[in-house]
Amino acid sequence: MNGIKIRGMGRCVPDHVVTNADLAKRVETSDEWITSRTGIQHRHHCTLETHGTLCAGAARAALERSGVSPDEIGACIVATVTADTLVPSAACLLQRELGLPHDIPCFDLSAACTGFLFALHTVECLLNASPRKFGLVVGVETLSRVTNWDDRGTCILFGDGAGAAVVECREGWPSIGAELGCHGDSRLLRLPGVESGERSLISMEGTRVFKFAVEAVPWCIDRVLEKAGCAVEDVDFFVFHQANARIIDLAARKYHIPSEKYYKNIGEYGNTSAASIPLALSELEDLGRVGPGSRTLVVGFGGGLTWGGAIVGFAD
Ligand code: UT7
């Protein structure tokens, strides 16, 4: 199988910033508790923006950055659990908005916080079967709309945002070598959908999900490194799903990853689920910390339960 590399990233976040102090006016919490337990200081919540505007904003930015035109796209996947409508999918609406070709697959993918990784793997498979060699993958969430404001254990965590990647598939490039997994569980992390008889609000058994995450991350790193036949030192940069700064720091400590080789932007955005990894990659690309020639190991984990890792490169 031919592999994909990133041609360009893009992102779009709502303007409105919600601070920990703002939340302390709404629920019984404190800046000290939120910062020390999660690393979160701010999150961005939609006011005028919508799921559709965030999605299109990030996708347009990625197309511009990559220099790829909409008619060159061979597949479009939107990873999300908060689309405005189940039908049409966010990806179909994006197809119309951007003028993507009509003869390509465009669909939404639901794998919660691992959604962007599931989508990268899927687009790599699809592009291998397509005459067009570029793909568009967006991770976007408007989690502020499904936040339970009666639950201080979760309402402080989530933010809205979108990140997008234009990827290229070329003969001779190695596969991203995705290692993905899931374990069906409807209690630990839940967002009810239609006909469930429950309001569509997020609930989470935080401590148990934390324990799952600290086991899932090493599983992903070990499997991905083994498949790629390389060691931790061969990786130029690590990007972890931004769910909790403590989870990221534990992984960094376990693998002796120096601080200049991993990234945390959870302080600014909170947990943005499927958007968190592409948001981080987009910022890192702008900062010049990842780019052509660099090998980035990306790890995601979350609801489903789902988890996954891959080694992502950037095209010259
Ligand atoms: O993105 C998908 C994957 N998600 C994750 O990986 C999230 C994993 N989980 C976590 O990040 C953490 O479990 C949380 C940040 C959600 C919670 O942190 P924790 O250290 O596990 O706290 P806890 O739920 O065990 O609560 C400890 C205490 C409790 O009080 P008592 O029972 O000890 O008196 C809570 O009631 O903290 C209390 N508490 C709060 N206090 C102030 C819970 N939420 C708050 C709050 N402010 N917002």
Side-chain angles (χ1 to χ4, degrees):
M1 185 161 81
N2 298 315
I4 54 167
K5 288 188 183 182
I6 292 172
R7 265 264 145 238
M9 300 293 308
R11 64 183 182 277
C12 185
V13 289
D15 291 332
H16 180 58
V17 175
V18 179
T19 65
N20 292 346
D22 293 332
L23 291 176
K25 291 180 197 142
R26 204 162 174 175
V27 292
E28 200 183 327
T29 189
S30 64
D31 176 48
E32 198 282 325
W33 193 95
I34 301 172
T35 309
S36 61
R37 296 285 180 129
T38 69
I40 301 169
Q41 286 161 322
H42 310 116
R43 66 292 285 148
H44 294 237
H45 284 179
C46 288
T47 48
L48 298 175
E49 304 87 352
T50 65
H51 190 278
T53 59
L54 293 181
C55 186
R60 277 206 180 88
L63 284 167
E64 197 174 313
R65 175 106 197 190
S66 63
V68 170
S69 69
D71 60 4
E72 294 178 279
I73 296 294
C76 169
I77 307 179
V78 176
T80 188
V81 292
T82 50
D84 285 337
T85 48
L86 293 178
V87 180
S89 67
C92 284
L93 295 174
L94 190 61
Q95 180 275 329
R96 187 180 64 186
E97 176 76 20
L98 299 180
L100 301 178
H102 291 283
D103 57 344
I104 63 167
C106 296
F107 59 93
D108 291 358
L109 186 152
S110 168
C113 308
T114 325
F116 187 75
L117 269 161
F118 275 49
L120 275 185
H121 172 67
T122 308
V123 88
E124 186 172 76
C125 298
L126 288 172
L127 291 180
N128 270 276
S130 169
R132 293 189 179 91
K133 287 302 153 206
F134 297 100
L136 176 60
V137 179
V138 186
V140 50
E141 302 292 6
T142 47
L143 295 167
S144 63
R145 298 188 314 186
V146 292
T147 295
N148 181 354
W149 292 104
D150 293 327
D151 177 12
R152 68 175 179 169
T154 56
C155 73
I156 50 109
L157 299 172
F158 302 112
D160 302 336
V166 170
V167 300
E168 180 176 355
C169 182
R170 210 189 272 178
E171 209 173 320
W173 279 351
S175 162
I176 60 170
E179 286 285 334
L180 309 171
C182 76
H183 170 78
D185 183 294
S186 50
R187 289 169 306 117
L188 293 190
L189 184 40
R190 183 169 171 83
L191 175 56
V194 288
E195 297 284 328
S196 65
E198 300 167 62
R199 287 180 69 201
S200 194
L201 299 175
I202 298 178
S203 61
M204 179 170 70
E205 290 189 29
T207 311
R208 292 181 65 191
V209 175
F210 191 100
K211 282 186 187 140
F212 147 72
V214 296
E215 284 172 15
V217 171
W219 185 93
C220 294
I221 294 177
D222 293 345
R223 290 281 289 256
V224 169
L225 289 176
E226 192 187 335
K227 193 174 193 176
C230 61
V232 173
E233 301 74 48
D234 302 324
V235 175
D236 300 302
F237 212 91
F238 289 81
V239 174
F240 300 101
H241 166 48
Q242 308 280 312
N244 189 319
R246 288 187 290 143
I247 296 173
I248 299 171
D249 290 335
L250 279 170
R253 218 172 302 141
K254 184 175 170 76
Y255 287 90
H256 307 291
I257 304 167
S259 58
E260 65 275 13
K261 277 194 167 189
Y262 70 99
Y263 191 58
K264 283 184 281 185
N265 63 5
I266 185 168
E268 181 56 33
Y269 301 118
N271 182 345
T272 57
S273 189
S276 105
I277 288 172
L279 259 179
L281 284 169
S282 171
E283 289 194 337
L284 288 163
E285 184 183 43
D286 281 356
L287 293 167
R289 294 177 71 182
V290 296
S294 72
R295 242 178 181 184
T296 303
L297 202 161
V298 182
V299 177
F301 52 88
L305 301 166
T306 56
W307 58 90
I311 290 187
V312 180
F314 284 73
D316 289 321

